[in-house]
Amino acid sequence: MAAPDKASLLARLARAIAATDGEPVEARLCQMYLQVLGADGVSLSLSTTRPERMLLCSTDAAATRLEELQEVLGEGPSLQAYRSGRIVRLDLRSRLDGWSSFAMAALEAVGEMVIDAVPIQPGGEIVGVLTAHRADAAAPDPETAQFLADAIGTTLLRVPAGYFDDADGADWAERAVIHQATGMVVVQLRVSPEDAAALLRAHAFAHNRRLSQVAQGVVDRRLRFADPDTSVRPDTGPDGDRRSDSDSGTDSGTDSGTDTDGGSHTS
């Protein structure tokens, strides 16, 4: 299966962050995820401690209702994705063998649809789930779904300490470059410093680079987020060196498989 087009996805991520429509950034990211996956609705929930979950955004009433049912019943694809670290699919149009309580309640509440839950795990730590629903059975590309979920997670959260060489852990020279790059992205996209820093972190995650290297690319004007492509080529790091597929950091953690209808693996 072809690797996701990171440059194109990051361009869309940048446009979502830079949008000035008055919506919170998490709502804009949910809408972008919905459009990329071609879904009918999306919800984003975060879990910083088990079993507590917080619904950060949802794009429609059906997405909200599915989250509420899982919270009440303690079962469902989003919870399974969070627990297993794997993409989980539930087809409410087929025989409902798994999560019988949730499946029957969901079928009554929202009707026949297909649900895909993708764990958000930047840096390998699961911090939440993006759950999409659709009327048809078209399955999203698992690598694209996982990459984008992790990039969104990196944008919204600080990943575990030490995963990036960020401003807190860099020496004074690197910190200066990171702060300068953040200011340049603020000007390019007319966003807040917090959103600019989040986008730099998402780009670093996407290309498996240190944050200081991405910042240097911005300062050297080899990486400009206002450009349509918004990215260095996926096989080229921000410092200009070519990278092999083995260095590209595109392992989605899903083994190109998903859990379906109650968590059975389809390897």
Side-chain angles (χ1 to χ4, degrees), residues 50-157:
R50 299 177 188 238
E52 301 298 327
R53 298 170 66 244
M54 176 178 65
L55 179 61
L56 204 58
C57 68
S58 62
T59 62
D60 64 347
T64 301
R65 185 58 179 148
L66 290 172
E67 286 288 335
E68 291 172 346
L69 288 173
Q70 292 181 93
E71 190 72 23
V72 170
L73 298 172
E75 64 179 29
S78 303
L79 295 178
Q80 180 67 17
Y82 182 79
R83 292 165 182 154
S84 68
R86 294 174 61 90
I87 298 175
V88 177
R89 163 166 279 214
L90 174 63
D91 189 344
L92 294 176
R93 307 167 314 151
S94 63
R95 201 176 82 181
L96 304 176
D97 292 329
W99 309 304
S100 57
S101 297
F102 168 78
M104 294 304 297
L107 188 59
E108 180 178 350
V110 300
E112 295 183 348
M113 60 175 54
V114 181
I115 305 167
D116 292 292
V118 182
I120 302 170
Q121 44 189 347
E125 179 179 344
I126 303 172
V127 296
V129 178
L130 272 158
T131 305
H133 67 81
R134 66 185 71 230
D136 58 59
D141 173 64
E143 287 196 48
T144 296
Q146 188 66 68
F147 168 79
L148 193 54
D150 293 346
I152 288 173
T154 305
T155 301
L156 294 173
L157 300 172

Side-chain angles (χ1 to χ4, degrees), residues 11-229:
R12 299 185 74 161
L13 185 71
R15 287 194 292 270
I17 290 176
T20 56
D21 55 8
E23 290 287 334
V25 65
E26 59 268 22
R28 284 176 264 151
L29 293 174
C30 267
Q31 284 290 344
M32 184 267 294
Y33 190 77
L34 179 151
Q35 293 166 9
V36 171
L37 267 61
D40 296 326
V42 168
S43 63
L44 167 60
S45 62
L46 296 181
S47 304
T48 54
T49 58
R50 299 177 188 238
E52 301 298 327
R53 298 170 66 244
M54 176 178 65
L55 179 61
L56 204 58
C57 68
S58 62
T59 62
D60 64 347
T64 301
R65 185 58 179 148
L66 290 172
E67 286 288 335
E68 291 172 346
L69 288 173
Q70 292 181 93
E71 190 72 23
V72 170
L73 298 172
E75 64 179 29
S78 303
L79 295 178
Q80 180 67 17
Y82 182 79
R83 292 165 182 154
S84 68
R86 294 174 61 90
I87 298 175
V88 177
R89 163 166 279 214
L90 174 63
D91 189 344
L92 294 176
R93 307 167 314 151
S94 63
R95 201 176 82 181
L96 304 176
D97 292 329
W99 309 304
S100 57
S101 297
F102 168 78
M104 294 304 297
L107 188 59
E108 180 178 350
V110 300
E112 295 183 348
M113 60 175 54
V114 181
I115 305 167
D116 292 292
V118 182
I120 302 170
Q121 44 189 347
E125 179 179 344
I126 303 172
V127 296
V129 178
L130 272 158
T131 305
H133 67 81
R134 66 185 71 230
D136 58 59
D141 173 64
E143 287 196 48
T144 296
Q146 188 66 68
F147 168 79
L148 193 54
D150 293 346
I152 288 173
T154 305
T155 301
L156 294 173
L157 300 172
R158 279 180 174 267
V159 297
Y163 184 74
F164 291 135
D165 173 21
D166 63 10
D168 296 331
D171 62 30
W172 69 268
E174 290 179 328
R175 285 200 301 271
V177 171
I178 292 169
H179 287 304
Q180 183 180 354
T182 301
M184 291 174 69
V185 175
V186 167
V187 173
Q188 290 172 14
L189 298 179
R190 299 181 181 180
V191 296
S192 69
E194 293 77 15
D195 284 350
L199 187 55
L200 289 172
R201 282 189 167 84
H203 192 95
F205 163 78
H207 293 287
N208 195 26
R209 313 300 292 182
R210 294 164 57 202
L211 181 57
S212 58
Q213 290 176 312
V214 173
Q216 191 66 58
V218 174
V219 171
D220 292 344
R221 291 176 170 79
R222 287 181 282 105
L223 173 60
R224 180 178 170 82
F225 286 93
D227 290 340
D229 289 340

Side-chain angles (χ1 to χ4, degrees), residues 203 207 209 231-243:
H203 192 95
H207 293 287
R209 313 300 292 182
S231 181
V232 176
R233 287 170 50 189
D235 60 347
T236 306
D239 51 359
D241 61 314
R242 297 279 293 182
R243 298 165 58 210

